[in-house]
Every structure is written in C-alpha cells, then in structure tokens.
Amino acid sequence: MILSAVSIGLQWPIYGAMFDPAAMEDPLVMEAAMMQHMGRVLLGYAVLIPLGLAFWMIFEGANQRRYMRAEGFRLRLGGDEWRLLVVGLIWFVLLIGLYLGGIIAFIVPMAIAAATGTGEGAMIGGLLTFILALAYMIFALWLCARFSPAAALTVRDRSIRFGQAWRVTKGKAWTIVGSWIVLGLIMSVVFFVIYMIFVVAIVASLMPMMNGMESEDPSAIFRAMLSPAVLIPGALLVVGMVFLQGCGMHIFSGPAALAARTDPEWADHPAIDDTFV
C-alpha cells in the first residue's frame, strides 16, 4: 500500500491531466499537460524502481524464511534481505537481457519480411514472428524457472546462491512452469471476480447520477467520477488488489522454494518437514 501510495502521489498530475475537462476536449491541451509533468513522471520511475526492489527484498525475505526455516511471517531488514538485494539485482540484469532478446526475436523476422518487399514475404515474416515470439516466451519461462530457487537457496544457506539454482531445478523446470501457469489462472479468476463485483457496484452508483446528464459533458462526467460513490469503491478495489498481489507474491514463491526445500544435497531439511505439509 505504501508503494502504491507513493506511485499515485508521484503520478497524480498525470491523472489530473487525463481527467481535466479542458484536456478531454482538446488533444493539444492534453499533450501540453503531459509534457509539463514529464519531469515528475521520470522522477517517479527513478524513485519507484529502487523502492520496489527494496520492498521486494523485504517481503521475499519473509516469504523464504517461512518456507525454508518454518519461521513466522515477519518483515524485517537484516542479512537475509541484503543478500536478497544482490539476488534481485542479478534478476534485474537477467530480465533486461531477456527483454532485449525479445526485441531481437521480433525485429529479425520483420526485417526479413521487409527485405523481400512482397506480400508472400510479409506473410512468411509474420509467421516467423509468431513462431519466434512463442518459442522465446517458452524459453524465457524455462530459464526463469531454472533460476527461480535463487532467493530460497540464499535464505536457506545464509549466503548468496544464484548459480546453484541451476543444479537444484534439474528436471524440475517444467514442473515449476506448470505450477506458475496453474497458480496464475487461479489468481486471474480471483482478480476478475473481485474486479467485476466492484465494477458493478460503481456502475450501479453512477447510474442515478448519469440519468438526465449530458453524456458528452466532460465536466459532468468528471464530477461524477470524483463522487464518493465512485471513489470509495475504487479505493476499496485498489486495497483489495494490492492485498491479493501480496498474497500472490507469497504463493508464487512456493514452487521454487519447494525445489530448494527438496534439494537432496541439503542436510538440514528434516528440521522443517512440516513447512509444506
């Protein structure tokens, strides 16, 4: 919630410009407002990236201590968290590399299609783009699964363990990917149901105000959007979604932690057999 509040606070001028009645009517006013606050937007990104990494290492430390040591879920800042910061930075570099690789996977077939200059070449390029993009996404998931126990191993051994995750996930990567897919589908359904409940509540609150109102009047729409009937359910929706994201972060840490937990080379695992019961 703190991270979300900081994000909204830093980006608030942009939200204000988006719902400004004058900007709604004139695209040039909208563009000018966006450019005026561009510096604040860039500052927001500069603040949110390290702040997000800090929140990740604190929550991930609590996650993995629960999984690997059967400790109660408690947020703190200690040796585990600073070691996880290094792991997080390695992940950051790896994900940037995967992102750049994805761009190349899209550019190469498009360049081939452009070089042919024919309709048939465009179709071949489109097909190649789809195949390469799908293959690359599968490869990226597999690679992330291979290194996914890095945080669990780091907390388990109280030492930075990133490369060792490759050994731990031998023969388990696709199982981890499958677990992520199943968990993702479950979480998506939960998110969708909660989202639809609040959307219906907001629409039901707006209907009486919209009756008899000129639908093309931006100022009237703006006033309706800022009414308590919209703001209160909207705020509850944000709180609920952030809470579920926190739960999801803990849940998605489970498959990789289980891989580290069942590492045959780890001698201490009988001490926390009840963790995954």
Side-chain angles (χ1 to χ4, degrees), residues 56-66 68-69 71 74 76-88 150-161:
W56 174 82
M57 72 181 193
I58 291 173
F59 273 86
E60 189 67 6
N63 288 338
Q64 298 303 341
R65 278 192 298 272
R66 169 67 191 128
M68 304 311 300
R69 303 179 195 162
E71 295 183 10
R74 184 167 64 91
R76 70 187 191 200
L77 185 61
D80 288 332
E81 286 69 29
W82 292 115
R83 288 186 286 269
L84 285 173
L85 175 61
V86 178
V87 173
L153 293 172
T154 297
V155 171
R156 188 194 74 180
D157 298 340
R158 292 181 170 87
S159 181
I160 298 171
R161 297 281 189 266

Side-chain angles (χ1 to χ4, degrees), residues 3-275:
L3 189 61
S4 298
V6 172
S7 174
I8 292 173
L10 290 171
Q11 308 292 334
W12 186 252
I14 298 299
Y15 299 137
M18 291 172 61
F19 291 102
D20 185 356
M24 289 181 180
E25 295 178 349
D26 189 347
L28 294 178
V29 175
M30 174 69 76
E31 183 179 349
M34 292 292 185
M35 293 303 298
Q36 179 182 356
H37 299 291
M38 188 57 65
R40 184 160 180 169
V41 172
L42 296 176
L43 174 63
Y45 283 116
V47 171
L48 288 174
I49 290 175
L51 190 61
L53 185 59
F55 271 78
W56 174 82
M57 72 181 193
I58 291 173
F59 273 86
E60 189 67 6
N63 288 338
Q64 298 303 341
R65 278 192 298 272
R66 169 67 191 128
Y67 283 134
M68 304 311 300
R69 303 179 195 162
E71 295 183 10
F73 190 92
R74 184 167 64 91
L75 302 179
R76 70 187 191 200
L77 185 61
D80 288 332
E81 286 69 29
W82 292 115
R83 288 186 286 269
L84 285 173
L85 175 61
V86 178
V87 173
L89 291 174
I90 297 174
W91 269 115
F92 189 71
V93 174
L94 178 61
L95 292 176
I96 289 177
L98 288 173
Y99 179 77
L100 295 176
I103 293 176
I104 295 173
F106 276 96
I107 290 177
V108 170
M110 292 174 64
I112 295 173
T116 62
T118 63
E120 183 179 348
M123 291 180 60
I124 294 174
L127 181 61
L128 282 175
T129 300
F130 174 76
I131 294 174
L132 281 177
L134 182 61
Y136 189 80
M137 288 175 60
I138 294 173
F139 165 74
L141 278 173
W142 174 82
L143 186 65
C144 289
R146 290 303 306 263
F147 289 111
S148 59
L153 293 172
T154 297
V155 171
R156 188 194 74 180
D157 298 340
R158 292 181 170 87
S159 181
I160 298 171
R161 297 281 189 266
F162 196 90
Q164 289 81 351
W166 188 270
R167 174 187 58 80
V168 171
T169 54
K170 183 179 180 180
K172 301 177 180 179
W174 293 119
T175 303
I176 294 174
V177 171
S179 300
W180 287 346
I181 293 173
V182 172
L183 291 173
L185 290 173
I186 295 172
M187 292 296 295
S188 297
V189 171
V190 174
F191 271 101
F192 179 76
V193 170
I194 294 177
Y195 179 77
M196 290 306 299
I197 290 173
F198 278 93
V199 167
V200 170
I202 292 173
V203 171
S205 301
L206 278 175
M207 289 302 293
M209 291 182 286
M210 299 300 292
N211 290 334
M213 182 187 299
E214 291 292 337
S215 59
E216 296 182 359
D217 183 1
S219 60
I221 296 174
F222 185 65
R223 288 194 302 271
M225 294 296 294
L226 291 180
S227 66
V230 175
L231 291 180
I232 293 175
L236 291 174
L237 176 62
V238 170
V239 172
M241 289 298 187
V242 171
F243 174 77
L244 285 177
Q245 287 174 2
C247 294
M249 182 176 178
H250 183 60
I251 292 168
F252 274 86
S253 297
L258 182 56
R261 160 74 179 75
T262 55
D263 177 10
E265 294 188 14
W266 186 36
D268 297 332
H269 61 82
I272 57 168
D273 279 341
D274 58 343
T275 302

